[in-house]
Amino acid sequence: MNKAAFRTGVAYLSMEAIGQYFFPENELSEASNAIGSVPKPMTRSEATDCIDIINAAIRKCAEATDENKGKEMFAMLAKVDREKIRSVKDYIVNANDKDLAKLFTEHFAEAVRLSMLPQNANIKAQSAGIKMFHIALTMGYVKRNVLHEGTSKPTGPCKEDVSSGFTATDTVHGGAFHTTAQVPVMRLYCFLATFTVQSGPDKGKPVLDGNAVSDRDFIHAVMRGDYSKIYGNCVRGKMRCVATLLSKAYFKDWKGYRSAAACSMGLTPESLAKYNVEKAFIAKLKELLPMIK
């Protein structure tokens, strides 16, 4: 795992933990009343303007070099203080404005990455990083409480979420095979939906049709060894390869898993294990699934 991915993971896990204390149920009324400063409620237009500033800063800084990111963020977010961030959250939550919630959380992954960039002791850059952490934390709250989605869920088949390297599989209940290690299912889903076959009759096709197969269907397939719903929307040789390598590397009853997977594809366990090896595909698969030897 590279340093950027590690820092991103630390940020995500920190937000999950801190968020439980940062945004309690009556946080606004209790905390604000205690200090005697209830911020003026925002209008939808004001909230939209503030969100536009935040999104513009994230887009600009995501493209800047590491040396310039901190300075860019500090300058562009100068007028976005803690109270404005909280007021944006309060407006979205109180109005249950899902359209504005989607706009606000559009760049959640980038916000987390920017919040964890090394700032080389530059005070302005450190201040901007803390502010971006606060923004990302607020985005996570809105995703969970307004959009009702986990922060680990990607917004599309080809857009990998910040937490994808730390995806838990405990969302699958009943009938799932027991694993020997955590399976990064969502990272695998994003990879298969974007990797195009480089040779043979399926050259140029994505391994998995992300438009036809939802992330939920893919999780179901992987954790239950039941590929019947997705086998018709993938490059079959590559999916046989994935199921075969996954079984031995990640599942306790790997023979049972392989038998179930083969049956769901209309194959025998022996024929399941027959697939063409494409070096680039295997290399990337091993990178995503480090338990594969």
Side-chain angles (χ1 to χ4, degrees):
M1 183 186 298
N2 60 37
K3 291 182 180 179
F6 177 75
R7 287 197 298 269
T8 297
V10 170
Y12 175 74
L13 293 174
S14 298
M15 287 173 187
E16 287 296 291
I18 296 171
Q20 304 304 312
Y21 299 92
F22 205 89
F23 294 122
E25 287 296 321
N26 298 315
E27 171 259 331
L28 178 62
S29 59
E30 293 180 3
S32 296
N33 290 338
I35 61 175
S37 61
V38 179
K40 179 183 177 182
M42 276 187 171
T43 63
R44 192 179 197 278
S45 178
E46 290 171 336
T48 302
D49 289 343
C50 189
I51 290 170
D52 286 342
I53 293 172
I54 291 170
N55 285 342
I58 292 172
R59 287 192 296 267
K60 180 74 177 293
C61 297
E63 298 174 355
T65 61
D66 284 349
E67 293 78 16
N68 295 328
K69 278 182 169 58
K71 294 178 181 178
E72 291 276 5
M73 279 197 291
F74 184 84
M76 296 186 74
L77 296 175
K79 295 183 179 180
V80 180
D81 59 18
R82 178 187 177 90
E83 293 304 319
K84 284 189 177 180
I85 296 169
R86 189 165 66 178
S87 293
V88 167
K89 181 208 70 171
D90 291 337
Y91 174 83
I92 293 173
V93 172
N94 293 335
N96 194 30
D97 191 330
K98 289 183 169 52
D99 289 337
L100 210 58
K102 290 177 182 178
L103 179 65
F104 180 54
T105 60
E106 182 180 2
H107 300 297
F108 174 69
E110 293 86 347
V112 175
R113 292 191 182 100
L114 288 172
S115 75
M116 293 301 288
L117 289 173
Q119 304 297 348
N120 299 322
N122 182 293
I123 295 176
K124 289 185 177 180
Q126 289 176 0
S127 176
I130 292 170
K131 186 176 292 186
M132 189 60 72
F133 188 91
H134 183 193
I135 289 170
L137 191 65
T138 308
M139 287 178 176
Y141 178 88
V142 169
K143 283 169 72 68
R144 285 188 298 272
N145 292 277
V146 178
L147 298 177
H148 303 294
E149 62 183 48
T151 50
S152 61
K153 182 179 179 181
T155 56
C158 300
K159 186 172 182 179
E160 184 177 341
D161 185 81
V162 59
S163 65
S164 57
F166 304 86
T167 301
T169 55
D170 58 3
T171 54
V172 179
H173 301 289
F177 284 87
H178 294 292
T179 61
T180 56
Q182 188 179 55
V183 186
V185 183
M186 290 311 306
R187 288 190 71 190
L188 179 60
Y189 174 74
C190 291
F191 163 62
L192 295 178
T194 55
F195 185 93
T196 54
V197 179
Q198 299 177 12
S199 61
D202 294 309
K203 183 177 180 179
K205 291 183 180 179
V207 175
L208 181 70
D209 184 351
N211 293 319
V213 178
S214 69
D215 53 359
R216 184 178 295 275
D217 286 340
F218 186 73
I219 293 173
H220 179 101
V222 169
M223 299 310 296
R224 289 177 171 79
D226 179 5
Y227 294 81
S228 57
K229 290 184 179 180
I230 72 171
Y231 196 51
N233 296 293
C234 64
V235 175
R236 298 187 175 190
K238 295 292 186 294
M239 194 55 66
R240 291 201 302 271
C241 169
V242 170
T244 299
L245 296 180
L246 265 176
S247 63
K248 192 68 178 288
Y250 283 90
F251 292 91
K252 293 179 181 179
D253 181 13
W254 68 269
K255 290 183 178 179
Y257 183 93
R258 194 171 292 186
S259 295
C263 182
S264 71
M265 298 178 190
L267 305 169
T268 63
E270 292 73 27
S271 59
L272 174 70
K274 295 179 181 179
Y275 52 83
N276 294 324
V277 175
E278 191 173 295
K279 290 184 178 179
F281 179 75
I282 295 295
K284 184 62 176 178
L285 200 60
K286 288 183 176 180
E287 181 182 333
L288 292 175
L289 304 167
M291 297 295 289
I292 293 177
K293 306 300 181 184

